[in-house]
Amino acid sequence: LAKQTESVCMNACQRFVSNYTSVPLCTFHSDPPTPHTHTPMFSQQPQDLVVVAGQPVTLPCTIPGYHGVVLWIKDGLALGVGRDLSGYPRYTVIGDHGSGEHHLRIQRVELMDDAVFECQAVQAAMRSRPARLTVLVPPEDPVISGGPVVSLRAGDPLNLTCHADNAKPAASIIWIRNGEVLNGAMYSKTLLRDGRRESTVSTLYLSPSNIETGQQIICKASNKAVPNGKETSVTIDIQHLPLVNLSVEPQPVLEGHPVKFHCSAKANPPVTLYRWAKGGSIIKEVSGDTYEVIVDHSFFIEPVSCEVTNPLGSTNISRNVDVYFGPRMAAEPQSLQVDLGSDAVFNCAWTGNPSLTIVWMKRGSGVVLSNENLLTLKSVRQEDAGKYVCRAVVPRVGAGEKEVSLTVNGPPTISSTQTQQALHGEKGQIKCFIRSTPPPDRIAWSWKETVLESGTSGRYTVETVNTEEGVISTLTMSNIVPADFQTIYNCTAWNSFGSDTEIIRLKEQGGSQGSTGSTFLFFKSRDCGFPRW
């Protein structure tokens, strides 16, 4: 009965398989063959294999002396009947059928081939051992986000992210710079929907001090499918504001000669604009990196600036020119009017290049009073009044000077010859010279019982004339008589600070009859250089 049942089942199974449907293999259990029956055996069976996707692989199956149907089973499903694997274009059964060779050849292994395979001899009810075909998938070419050139601003840290996707097993990622592996990267893995492949992400952080522009950093991904790895790289592009240098040639230079300014800049991204200015005022007619100009003294104190711009911003640098120029007045001294006994302070400031020398002197005197900007005269006296000169000298370049006046407020000072001459019978004059700051409020002539300040009284007339040096008061007498030579004449002047008086006598003039009636005035020794009449 058992033999009959096995025969019926085998025939049914063969008919089902002949119709080719991928169903689990029918297996049979029967009594051991009788000793006189030959039982075929596997001389080759498929083994566990590891293969890289895209490569071919052959799973061996040899059953000598067996001439029945051979099935290849993948994960429990038949691939076809005998050598007919038309449902799997990449699959082929190869070998000498007569010798019992039924090898499974897979062209260009794919991930779907990752499975358990068996070779089964249907009529002999034999199954090979299960063979695990493990398919390795190399990662896709790694990609660094932002590559192939990663730009960042100077001073910013660098974050690099590298993806190595669709690998089985998941790819390992390392970072390399100058042949050395960089440590400290962070990794993450993601299992894909097929449940087999994984994608790997690695993030590398570098501090600003640890990166340089132009550096090349490599991301290398590897797994068992590509032990030598796949790699990609990025070049670091550190962007920065323009680095500017401003040169001036020649230096030093004499005023009135040409100079050339050159503004050299290193910038990333490149320079887009140059702007020039002098003393803060834009020089509109210049737009390139060079500025040529004839310099004057102003270039010594007003710097020339070059502003360089790129897309990140601007950098400005300024330079003064070492211009040699003669003295120029920076603070002009002012004439002074001070009270007698007070201090007089003059301030005189010059600029010049190279360094200048200042000399203060009183006009007409060779005495140097000061070599500073300030000239201080303590407790001034009347004789301190006059002209003062502030002189500046720039060696081998030039000199300049400025004159100021010192006026001393005090009582009047009368300077007249005490004995003056006239001709008998002629018109005679007596002159009185008054220096007074402030000007005299009153001038009076007195003799005997008479006092006359101005106008005419009898034979006498008083006239007053103002000059640059002072006031001249003249007493004119018509028809000189002998008594006039015996009279004492007083000239007195007053102002708010006091008064001064001079006594003058009239002497009969000798000489020829042709002499005129003119009278000459000779000042006293204290006239301090005023002109004589």
Side-chain angles (χ1 to χ4, degrees):
L1 181 60
K3 291 289 185 180
Q4 293 176 355
T5 303
E6 179 181 355
S7 176
V8 171
C9 289
M10 279 291 294
N11 291 332
C13 187
Q14 289 174 1
R15 288 195 300 271
F16 185 79
V17 169
S18 66
N19 291 327
Y20 180 48
T21 178
S22 295
V23 295
L25 176 67
C26 297
T27 58
F28 306 97
H29 300 277
S30 61
D31 295 334
T34 58
H36 62 272
T37 303
H38 173 72
T39 302
M41 300 291 292
F42 286 100
S43 63
Q44 282 185 303
Q45 297 187 59
Q47 305 291 325
D48 290 347
L49 290 177
V50 177
V51 63
V52 176
Q55 295 179 349
V57 67
T58 299
L59 298 176
C61 179
T62 303
I63 312 173
Y66 175 73
H67 303 288
V69 176
V70 174
L71 296 181
W72 275 98
I73 308 302
K74 174 185 176 185
D75 284 341
L77 297 177
L79 299 175
V81 178
R83 295 177 179 260
D84 180 14
L85 305 180
S86 57
Y88 296 85
R90 292 182 295 108
Y91 289 12
T92 307
V93 176
I94 63 173
D96 183 3
H97 180 74
S99 299
E101 296 177 347
H102 306 275
H103 311 314
L104 179 62
R105 175 74 170 178
I106 305 175
Q107 299 289 342
R108 302 181 308 279
V109 173
E110 296 180 0
L111 186 60
M112 65 179 63
D113 301 324
D114 190 293
V116 177
F117 291 83
E118 290 183 9
C119 177
Q120 295 187 358
V122 177
Q123 282 87 348
M126 295 192 324
R127 305 171 60 182
S128 69
R129 70 171 63 89
R132 179 73 196 188
L133 180 61
T134 301
V135 179
L136 304 180
V137 180
E140 295 177 358
D141 291 341
V143 175
I144 300 177
S145 300
V149 176
V150 175
S151 298
L152 68 156
R153 291 193 63 155
D156 289 349
L158 175 63
N159 283 291
L160 292 177
T161 299
C162 183
H163 299 263
D165 298 330
N166 302 321
K168 179 179 178 291
S172 297
I173 294 178
I174 60 172
W175 295 89
I176 302 172
R177 179 179 62 187
N178 298 331
E180 295 184 358
V181 175
L182 300 173
N183 297 317
M186 299 181 65
Y187 298 87
S188 64
K189 299 177 182 179
T190 302
L191 184 63
L192 302 184
R193 290 183 178 181
D194 58 23
R196 298 183 179 186
R197 292 173 300 161
E198 293 179 276
S199 292
T200 304
V201 177
S202 175
T203 301
L204 176 68
Y205 171 86
L206 293 175
S207 64
S209 61
N210 199 25
I211 51 178
E212 296 178 4
T213 192
Q215 280 186 340
Q216 189 177 68
I217 297 180
I218 297 172
C219 170
K220 185 173 183 179
S222 62
N223 68 359
K224 293 180 179 179
V226 278
N228 292 330
K230 296 182 175 182
E231 62 183 44
T232 186
S233 65
V234 292
T235 300
I236 306 304
D237 177 40
I238 298 179
Q239 299 186 341
H240 56 82
L241 292 172
L243 304 175
V244 183
N245 179 60
L246 180 57
S247 63
V248 185
E249 294 293 339
Q251 288 235 70
V253 60
L254 194 63
E255 185 175 30
H257 286 69
V259 298
K260 178 187 289 187
F261 296 86
H262 181 65
C263 189
S264 59
K266 294 181 179 179
N268 185 25
V271 173
T272 56
L273 178 66
Y274 289 89
R275 284 205 313 169
W276 293 86
K278 175 176 175 285
S281 298
I282 299 298
I283 305 172
K284 296 182 179 179
E285 59 272 19
V286 184
S287 59
D289 62 357
T290 301
Y291 170 42
E292 297 185 57
V293 65
I294 303 297
V295 295
D296 58 24
H297 70 281
S298 65
F299 285 80
F300 184 72
I301 56 175
E302 296 179 3
V304 171
S305 63
C306 172
E307 182 181 82
V308 184
T309 301
N310 74 352
L312 296 183
S314 300
T315 301
N316 191 298
I317 187 171
S318 300
R319 289 285 301 275
N320 291 82
V321 183
D322 190 13
V323 181
Y324 284 179
F325 61 96
R328 302 186 69 86
M329 184 68 69
E332 186 171 345
Q334 302 298 317
S335 295
L336 297 177
Q337 182 173 327
V338 300
D339 294 343
L340 184 68
S342 299
D343 295 342
V345 180
F346 293 100
N347 182 23
C348 173
W350 297 83
T351 61
N353 188 42
S355 298
L356 51 76
T357 301
I358 292 180
V359 176
W360 276 100
M361 300 178 67
K362 187 176 183 182
R363 182 71 79 187
S365 170
V367 178
V368 176
L369 302 176
S370 174
N371 289 118
E372 306 294 333
N373 290 344
L374 292 180
L375 170 64
T376 302
L377 302 175
K378 297 285 190 180
S379 302
V380 296
R381 299 169 295 173
Q382 287 286 5
E383 51 265 37
D384 291 327
K387 305 290 187 181
Y388 290 83
V389 176
C390 176
R391 180 176 175 81
V393 178
V394 176
R396 301 183 303 278
V397 178
E401 65 178 40
K402 179 66 178 180
E403 182 181 86
V404 289
S405 298
L406 173 63
T407 302
V408 179
N409 294 326
T413 300
I414 299 177
S415 301
S416 296
T417 303
Q418 293 178 340
T419 299
Q420 301 183 26
Q421 297 182 357
L423 289 173
H424 183 271
E426 299 289 337
K427 180 172 71 172
Q429 290 182 333
I430 301 174
K431 293 183 179 291
C432 178
F433 179 77
I434 304 106
R435 290 185 303 175
S436 177
T437 304
D441 301 321
R442 178 185 172 202
I443 301 173
W445 288 90
S446 62
W447 66 96
K448 295 181 182 179
E449 303 297 329
T450 303
V451 177
L452 184 62
E453 294 186 16
S454 63
T456 301
S457 176
R459 294 186 303 114
Y460 301 96
T461 300
V462 173
E463 295 178 318
T464 300
V465 177
N466 294 319
T467 69
E468 291 183 0
E469 289 78 15
V471 178
I472 300 175
S473 181
T474 303
L475 174 62
T476 301
M477 296 166 281
S478 61
N479 191 19
I480 296 294
V481 298
D484 294 334
F485 297 114
Q486 306 300 320
T487 303
I488 297 175
Y489 300 92
N490 288 335
C491 176
T492 304
W494 294 266
N495 69 6
S496 58
F497 288 87
S499 62
D500 192 19
T501 298
E502 186 68 270
I503 297 174
I504 304 173
R505 293 179 182 274
L506 192 62
K507 178 182 178 181
E508 185 175 3
Q509 181 180 342
S512 64
Q513 294 296 320
S515 301
T516 67
S518 299
T519 301
F520 296 92
L521 175 64
F522 298 92
F523 293 143
K524 294 179 286 186
S525 61
R526 63 179 177 175
D527 66 12
C528 297
F530 286 98
R532 302 174 182 271
W533 283 268

